[in-house]
């Protein structure tokens, strides 16, 4: 009798979890490639590539096909895409003060964030809707998908909006957000930041970006911020402390201008 043997298929080893050191090496290679391109005459890139490898989820989220053209003559409902997204009477003074939206005072460092919305020539962009959203002082969003084990603040929702003035100016009063962990890799933490959304006169004109705070030690470790490989463009995402904006015994002030296009444009989360 001949004994037969059966080969057991070899099981694939589980993928090794990437560490901060792995991501640091990837980001260093991306910077070196960008700087080499500049040295060889390439134009500066003010926006990150959509497939920036260290920001791992971008590979799953960014568009891989060209936009689809919509003929509003054939689809009348598509006219909504070019209709105004809001009414001026919908925006109140309370919307821009995130510390007064609940019955009690939120916890954390109160701050004033102000600046101007400008075009490429430095001209003000008037009467435009700016929205923001952010984590609370503990680094947690008031959202059911945020399960970071940090406390929620019942007096802070973390959303606000304002219309720019005739000089393009805006102003928010809020709480400085905390850093928080995310699952891009082992030991990943996002530096404190505030998300900004800018509306034109249509839904299709919406732009989204992020503002950071000066001197954050997490800058060098964050693949989202580092995906903006141009140093000057990256610096434009960081607000400046402005003592003149600070209010005695009330809030610290940060100034951050947003430039919509041109060589000094603020990074936009296009396709993310």
């Amino acid at each position: 009798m001949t004994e037969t043997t059966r080969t057991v298929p070899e099981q694939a080893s589980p993928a090794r979890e990437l560490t901060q050191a792995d991501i640091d090496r990837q980001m260093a290679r991306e910077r070196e490639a960008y700087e080499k391109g500049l040295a060889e005459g390439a134009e500066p890139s003010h926006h990150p590539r959509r497939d920036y490898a260290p920001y791992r989820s971008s590979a799953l989220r960014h568009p891989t096909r060209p936009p689809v053209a919509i003929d509003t003559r054939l689809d009348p409902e598509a006219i909504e895409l070019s209709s105004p997204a809001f009414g001026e009477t919908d925006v109140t003074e309370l919307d821009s003060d995130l510390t007064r939206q609940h019955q009690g005072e939120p916890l954390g460092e109160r701050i004033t964030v102000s600046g101007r919305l400008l075009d490429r020539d430095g001209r003000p962009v008037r009467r435009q809707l700016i929205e923001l959203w952010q984590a609370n002082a503990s680094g947690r969003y008031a959202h059911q998908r945020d399960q970071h084990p940090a406390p929620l603040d019942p007096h802070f929702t973390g959303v606000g909006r304002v219309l720019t003035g005739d000089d393009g100016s805006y102003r928010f009063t809020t709480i400085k957000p905390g850093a928080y962990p995310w699952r891009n890799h082992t030991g990943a933490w996002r530096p404190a930041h505030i998300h900004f959304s800018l509306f034109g006169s249509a839904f299709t004109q919406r732009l989204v970006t992020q503002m950071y705070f000066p001197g954050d030690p997490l800058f060098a470790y964050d693949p989202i911020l580092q995906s903006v490989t141009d140093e000057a463009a990256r610096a434009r995402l960081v607000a400046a402390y402005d003592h003149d904006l600070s209010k005695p015994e009330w809030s610290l002030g940060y100034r951050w201008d947003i430039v919509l296009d041109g060589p000094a444009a603020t990074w936009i989360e296009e396709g993310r």
Side-chain angles (χ1 to χ4, degrees):
M1 179 175 178
T2 305
E3 182 178 356
T4 59
T5 59
R6 183 173 58 183
T7 302
V8 178
E10 185 177 316
Q11 299 203 0
S13 300
R16 182 177 69 85
E17 186 71 24
L18 293 182
T19 67
Q20 184 66 57
D22 296 323
I23 297 298
D24 289 345
R25 285 190 289 270
Q26 290 182 6
M27 292 190 296
R29 288 195 293 268
E30 294 283 351
R31 283 193 298 271
E32 289 171 4
Y34 177 73
E35 291 168 0
K36 180 181 178 182
L38 289 179
E40 294 174 349
E43 291 292 325
S45 177
H46 302 288
H47 298 279
R49 293 198 331 268
R50 293 172 177 165
D51 59 350
Y52 183 77
Y55 181 12
R56 297 171 64 197
S57 62
S58 65
L60 303 174
R61 296 167 54 191
H62 74 76
T64 57
R65 299 180 181 180
V68 177
I70 299 176
D71 190 339
T72 56
R73 295 171 299 179
L74 302 177
D75 183 4
E77 293 185 0
I79 193 64
E80 295 180 5
L81 296 175
S82 58
S83 299
F86 65 96
E88 293 189 13
T89 56
D90 296 334
V91 183
T92 69
E93 180 180 347
L94 193 63
D95 290 328
S96 62
D97 189 341
L98 284 67
T99 67
R100 295 170 51 208
Q101 296 174 351
H102 299 275
Q103 292 184 348
E105 289 282 340
L107 298 175
E109 177 185 324
R110 191 183 292 109
I111 60 173
T112 298
V113 178
S114 184
R116 300 176 70 202
L117 182 62
L118 306 169
D119 68 13
R120 65 183 301 150
D121 297 317
R123 295 173 299 197
V125 183
R126 305 173 176 86
R127 314 305 295 170
Q128 294 297 299
L129 180 67
I130 298 180
E131 296 180 330
L132 67 74
W133 64 97
Q134 62 170 93
N136 65 18
S138 298
R140 186 167 178 182
Y141 290 94
H143 192 283
Q144 62 182 359
R145 293 189 63 183
D146 188 348
Q147 298 302 309
H148 168 37
L152 288 169
D153 188 339
H155 303 303
F156 188 76
T157 308
V159 294
R161 59 182 182 167
V162 72
L163 286 170
T164 59
D166 289 338
D167 60 351
S169 63
Y170 72 89
R171 181 185 296 257
F172 289 99
T173 301
T174 185
I175 297 296
K176 187 175 181 180
Y180 59 82
W182 62 309
R183 297 177 179 175
N184 188 73
H185 56 275
T186 300
W189 284 80
R190 295 246 42 226
H193 61 279
I194 297 177
H195 299 266
F196 277 73
S197 164
L198 304 108
F199 279 94
S201 59
F203 289 109
T204 52
Q205 296 173 0
R206 185 182 184 221
L207 301 174
V208 179
T209 187
Q210 298 179 17
M211 185 203 86
Y212 297 84
F213 294 87
D216 196 313
L218 292 173
F219 284 167
Y221 303 101
D222 181 42
I224 294 182
L225 179 59
Q226 295 300 321
S227 69
V228 185
T229 48
D230 186 81
E231 184 176 359
R234 198 163 57 245
R236 290 195 292 270
L237 296 176
V238 182
Y241 173 71
D242 189 334
H243 199 69
D244 290 337
L245 278 178
S246 299
K247 297 183 179 180
E249 301 183 34
W250 185 253
S251 67
L252 294 179
Y254 292 89
R255 184 170 300 281
W256 191 56
D257 292 340
I258 305 170
V259 181
L260 292 180
D261 59 2
T266 304
W267 168 67
I268 300 296
E269 295 181 24
E270 181 184 6
R272 293 197 182 279

